[in-house]
Amino acid sequence: MAGHSKWANIKHRKAAQDAKRGKIFTRLIKEITVAARLGGGDPEANPRLRQAVDKALSNNMPKDNIDRAIKRGTGELEGVSYEEVTYEGYAPGGVAVLVECMTDNKNRTVGEIRHAFSKGGGNLGEDGSAAYIFHKTGMLIFDGESVDEDALMEAAMEAGADDIQVEDGQQVLYTDPQDFEDVKASLQEQGFEPQVAEVTMKPDNTVRVEGDKAEKVLKLLDTLEDHDDVQNVYANYDIPDEVFEQVSV
């Protein structure tokens, strides 16, 4: 999820919860399968697949699982055919939300996502109602305590990164999505290993929410992320640190 000054930390929290629930493997397998179907089964020639495989390996997914998912995508093994779909809506307080799904039944999924928005005090919108607030960007996060900021900044600029920001003790690099793999590889060659490396959606503006609305926003986003068909949830909320700590425990 994006939007808060500590959104990288929020992603870490969600990643930990997903791993605990056993959902992360399922989501990664879906992504690998779809990436292989759309762009072929060779990670070196398919950047999206390469990113998915790298993420799977970083989450300790067995290589056999990865290979099977690729073969399902290329048609060498039988499997469920997933379709990508993105839903747009608004959470309480006017917070824009993007929900990326992979499903084998769009009618079922849209009904369940609509119900989640409605029950959570938000509403599912039409195509284009929220997507314009976000843009796709490559993101690499480094630990500020163990990485020299000046050295990283120099290497990042030489590698072609668009921007580098210091957020809550972490150094966050942003790149053009097309340059993401090249920037990542260049930095790794120079000894800079990111804690997080992915192409994500970043909001162009945020909406500040506090109190009960903040709690409702986080509850709705948690509900959406718990859905089996949901791959990613992005939102443009801005919640004060002290409020976030109170309502996200």
Side-chain angles (χ1 to χ4, degrees):
M1 295 185 293
H4 182 261
S5 62
K6 293 186 176 180
W7 65 294
N9 290 334
I10 297 168
K11 290 179 73 66
H12 284 304
R13 178 180 68 87
K14 291 305 301 179
Q17 290 180 350
D18 284 344
K20 189 187 306 179
R21 296 174 183 138
K23 288 178 178 285
I24 189 69
F25 275 19
T26 301
R27 291 178 177 179
L28 288 169
I29 286 171
K30 283 185 178 181
E31 172 62 17
I32 291 169
T33 301
V34 170
R37 188 185 79 220
L38 296 177
D42 179 7
E44 295 305 314
N46 183 344
R48 178 174 174 177
L49 178 59
R50 183 162 66 250
Q51 292 169 30
V53 169
D54 286 348
K55 189 170 183 179
L57 291 172
S58 70
N59 280 278
N60 301 312
M61 179 181 288
K63 193 171 184 303
D64 286 348
N65 293 32
I66 296 172
D67 291 341
R68 283 197 297 271
I70 292 174
K71 288 179 179 178
R72 288 193 191 97
T74 58
E76 296 172 72
L77 291 177
E78 289 187 6
V80 177
S81 179
Y82 295 109
E83 185 175 0
E84 292 181 285
V85 59
T86 299
Y87 300 108
E88 306 172 40
Y90 283 84
V95 172
V97 183
L98 292 185
V99 187
E100 294 179 346
C101 298
M102 288 189 185
T103 178
D104 60 350
N105 187 330
K106 284 177 64 176
N107 289 334
R108 181 200 68 226
T109 301
V110 68
E112 293 173 353
I113 296 300
R114 180 179 287 110
H115 176 72
F117 269 100
S118 178
K119 188 175 180 181
N123 62 281
L124 186 66
E126 300 292 330
D127 289 349
S129 61
Y132 71 94
I133 295 172
F134 300 83
H135 68 275
K136 184 174 289 189
T137 182
M139 180 184 72
L140 300 104
I141 300 176
F142 299 84
D143 179 16
E145 294 183 4
S146 62
V147 175
D148 182 270
E149 181 179 345
D150 291 336
L152 176 62
M153 182 174 294
E154 182 178 350
M157 293 302 106
E158 289 180 358
D162 290 340
D163 189 22
I164 179 169
Q165 300 175 5
V166 178
E167 300 179 11
D168 307 297
Q170 295 174 312
Q171 297 178 47
V172 185
L173 272 65
Y174 297 105
T175 76
D176 184 290
Q178 300 297 323
D179 299 333
F180 172 76
E181 287 294 338
D182 290 340
V183 172
K184 176 185 173 185
S186 176
L187 291 172
Q188 287 176 323
E189 287 174 3
Q190 298 179 68
F192 296 104
E193 192 63 40
Q195 295 176 315
V196 175
E198 63 184 18
V199 175
T200 186
M201 299 295 288
K202 189 173 186 291
D204 294 322
N205 58 68
T206 57
V207 175
R208 191 173 182 85
V209 286
E210 302 183 41
D212 290 345
K213 284 186 179 178
E215 186 172 359
K216 289 178 180 178
V217 167
L218 293 176
K219 186 175 181 180
L220 170 57
L221 298 181
D222 280 346
T223 298
L224 291 169
E225 291 197 335
D226 281 343
H227 193 284
D228 288 341
D229 293 339
V230 171
Q231 292 291 103
N232 297 293
V233 178
Y234 306 102
N236 74 331
Y237 63 83
D238 175 15
I239 298 176
D241 292 350
E242 63 275 10
V243 177
F244 184 85
E245 294 300 328
Q246 291 172 5
V247 303
S248 65
V249 175

